[in-house]
Amino acid sequence: METKLQLHGFNNLTKSLSFNIYDICYAQTEEQREAYIDYIDEMYNAERLTQILTDVVKIIGANVLNIARQDYEPHGASVTMLIAEHELSNGEPDNEESPGPLPDAIVAHLDKSHVTVHTYPESHPYEGISTFRADIDVSTCGLISPLKVLNYLIHSFDSDVVTVDYRVRGFTRDVDGTKHYIDHDINSIQNYLTEDTQNAYQMIDVNVYQENLFHTKMMLKNFNLDNYVFGVNASDLDPEEARSIEERLKREMLEMFYSRNLE
């Protein structure tokens, strides 16, 4: 596919990026679980999420029209931004299959677009496993792919497991009337991640190229128990207990990665 299409009218393609980010923790006591959830609520409250999405909007060069945000009781938060078009400075699309900035300004042409984030902290009273999930959607119409913000967003959260979906919908016409159902080459979502991110995660793709559907799952490779126990030091745990906790945490990560319960 050529880099630049001569279009008839506006680029009507809708490009949607949706992904879940999971952070996993072991909090043994009720007090530790409550402290972990309180910590997550403070770290990712509506104000902090608004700042993250504001950075996303800057990366894709859009204008914020409206912000709706809410901290929920007892836990969780949501932010939704309606964003509008901003003309490209040089008229060229930025659809190159490469990582986006962390962050620099990219100017795009967007319309009827939005970015949203919702958080879901939860815990289990018996197993000691607590999780934090952030669901993020970036939907754009026009010349730029929202995949340019993926690299920034993964670095904005403590991400143990990430699942990413990218879909191009609709069509746009060139000057000869031919319909185009995608306006940029894409082989894998992984190509939009920096090398350090690719090295840090185990990743698998499930793509349906003929439907312009792309799916990537990511799981952090390195496991350090100190990064997963809340309220205690891993070195203070009994070795047998530490092994049991590590096995449970790794099992939880694998189940999220494969989206099924393991026997």
Side-chain angles (χ1 to χ4, degrees):
M1 183 175 294
E2 295 182 2
T3 302
K4 185 176 181 180
L5 296 173
Q6 295 295 322
L7 299 182
H8 174 73
F10 178 65
N11 187 332
N12 290 309
L13 289 171
T14 298
K15 301 160 189 175
S16 298
L17 172 69
S18 300
F19 64 106
N20 297 332
I21 290 175
Y22 296 93
D23 176 67
I24 304 165
C25 176
Y26 179 81
Q28 185 175 26
T29 68
E30 180 65 26
E31 182 180 5
Q32 290 170 349
R33 286 192 292 272
E34 290 180 359
Y36 170 74
I37 297 299
D38 288 342
Y39 164 78
I40 289 296
D41 276 344
E42 179 64 24
M43 278 292 294
Y44 299 108
N45 58 27
E47 182 177 358
R48 169 85 193 287
L49 295 174
T50 298
Q51 183 57 57
I52 291 174
L53 293 194
T54 299
D55 290 342
V56 166
V57 173
K58 289 179 181 178
I59 290 173
I60 55 181
N63 295 317
V64 176
L65 293 179
N66 178 266
I67 300 175
R69 68 185 193 182
Q70 180 67 48
D71 287 304
Y72 296 110
E73 292 294 340
H75 307 294
S78 295
V79 179
T80 299
M81 289 185 178
L82 180 65
I83 58 180
E85 65 186 59
H86 190 294
E87 293 295 338
L88 280 165
S89 59
N90 60 4
E92 294 289 340
D94 187 1
N95 286 321
E96 180 185 357
E97 194 176 17
S98 62
L102 275 177
D104 292 322
I106 296 176
V107 181
H109 185 154
L110 304 171
D111 193 20
K112 300 177 182 175
S113 305
H114 66 271
V115 291
T116 65
V117 59
H118 308 282
T119 66
Y120 305 89
E122 65 90 31
S123 62
H124 192 281
Y126 305 116
E127 294 297 326
I129 303 294
S130 297
T131 61
F132 164 69
R133 187 178 100 235
D135 290 354
I136 301 171
D137 293 282
V138 184
S139 181
T140 67
C141 292
L143 300 176
I144 196 172
S145 167
L147 285 165
K148 288 294 184 180
V149 304
L150 179 59
N151 199 55
Y152 170 79
L153 285 168
I154 288 175
H155 283 75
S156 296
F157 295 86
D158 292 326
S159 309
D160 294 316
V161 178
V162 184
T163 61
V164 189
D165 293 289
Y166 178 63
R167 173 83 186 266
V168 181
R169 297 184 176 89
F171 64 86
T172 190
R173 294 183 187 272
D174 64 22
V175 292
D176 297 323
T178 302
K179 293 188 289 294
H180 295 270
Y181 297 92
I182 193 168
D183 64 352
H184 64 286
D185 294 324
I186 176 172
N187 176 263
S188 171
I189 291 172
Q190 297 184 34
N191 295 334
Y192 289 85
L193 301 173
T194 53
E195 185 176 354
D196 66 314
T197 303
Q198 295 185 44
N199 291 335
Y201 287 87
Q202 173 186 343
M203 294 188 284
I204 59 174
D205 282 354
V206 181
N207 299 325
V208 185
Y209 296 102
Q210 64 270 29
E211 297 295 335
N212 296 324
L213 279 167
F214 304 89
H215 178 74
T216 296
K217 295 182 178 182
M218 307 167 57
M219 183 172 64
L220 204 61
K221 292 179 181 177
N222 293 332
F223 187 95
N224 185 336
L225 187 58
D226 270 321
N227 297 331
Y228 293 90
V229 291
F230 193 86
V232 298
N233 295 320
S235 58
D236 294 333
L237 296 172
D238 176 80
E240 185 174 344
E241 181 184 12
R243 283 193 297 271
S244 175
I245 293 171
E246 183 171 332
E247 288 176 0
R248 276 181 277 173
L249 286 166
K250 288 182 176 179
R251 180 189 180 96
E252 188 84 359
M253 292 174 65
L254 283 170
E255 290 183 342
M256 291 177 178
F257 183 65
Y258 290 111
S259 300
R260 65 175 184 270
N261 295 322
L262 300 178
E263 298 297 333

